[in-house]
Amino acid sequence: MFSPSPEQIEYAELLLRRANGDLEACRVLADNADIDDNIVGFHAQQAVEKSMKVALVLADADLPLSHDLKFLVRQVREIGTEPPQDVSDTAWLTPWAAELRYDEPIARDRTAALAAAESASGWAASLLADAKRPQPEPDPGRKSREEAPPAPEP
C-alpha cells in the first residue's frame, strides 16, 4: 500500500483548503438570488475538482490540468479509489468550470451543486485523514508468502 510523502500530504492539505474555500463561497452565494447561477456553479465545480485532485495527490498519481469532472472521476478510479456515488455523478458541473462563465447564464440546481461540493469536500477530508493516520509497521518476524518455505508434501 502506498504511503504519501510529507510533501504530498502538505499539497493535499492545500488543495483541500482551497476546495473548502470554494465550498464556503458556494454556501454563501447559493442563498443570494442576486448572484447568477454560473458563479455558484463555478465554486461548486471547483470544490469538486480540487477534492478529486486530493485523491490523486495522495495516491502519487499524475495531476492532470483538467476541469473535466468525468475525466477526473476516471483518473481517481484508475488509482483504485472509488468516489462516493454523488461525487462520481458530478460531470454536469463541468461546464461551470469555464464555458458558462463567459456565455449567457443557464439556470442550474444550486441545491444539488452545493450538495455535490459538500460531499466531495467531506470525502477528500476523509481520504486525507486516512493518509495521515500512522500505518502499522510490518511484523519483521513474520515472513511473507514469497519468503516462507514451501509446505511439506504429505
Side-chain angles (χ1 to χ4, degrees):
M1 180 176 180
F2 176 77
S3 183
S5 70
E7 293 80 14
Q8 289 166 317
I9 296 282
E10 185 178 331
Y11 189 53
E13 289 172 334
L14 171 70
L15 287 171
L16 183 59
R17 280 193 307 274
R18 290 187 176 167
N20 286 336
D22 282 306
L23 172 59
E24 189 56 32
C26 190
R27 284 180 179 140
V28 168
L29 299 172
D31 289 335
N32 187 338
D34 293 332
I35 302 295
D36 285 337
D37 284 346
N38 62 331
I39 302 297
V40 175
F42 171 76
H43 288 290
Q45 187 283 336
Q46 287 291 290
V48 173
E49 177 183 329
K50 290 168 187 158
S51 296
M52 295 276 192
K53 290 180 177 180
V54 166
L56 295 172
V57 167
L58 293 175
D60 195 31
D62 290 334
L63 203 56
L65 297 175
S66 177
H67 301 297
D68 184 338
L69 297 180
K70 187 174 184 178
F71 172 75
L72 291 172
V73 166
R74 276 196 314 270
Q75 295 295 107
V76 167
R77 286 180 172 148
E78 284 177 12
I79 61 165
T81 300
E82 184 60 35
Q85 188 63 44
D86 55 343
V87 175
S88 296
D89 294 337
T90 55
W92 60 275
L93 288 171
T94 295
W96 275 340
E99 298 97 42
L100 292 181
R101 289 190 300 158
Y102 303 104
D103 293 336
E104 280 298 310
I106 297 172
R108 298 283 177 144
D109 186 342
R110 290 174 180 227
T111 304
L114 179 57
E118 289 173 333
S119 180
S121 180
W123 170 67
S126 70
L127 291 176
L128 185 57
D130 288 346
K132 291 168 79 172
R133 198 168 289 125
Q135 301 297 315
E137 293 293 323
D139 182 357
R142 185 171 183 217
K143 293 185 178 183
S144 69
R145 284 188 174 168
E146 293 83 31
E147 297 177 276
E153 292 186 31

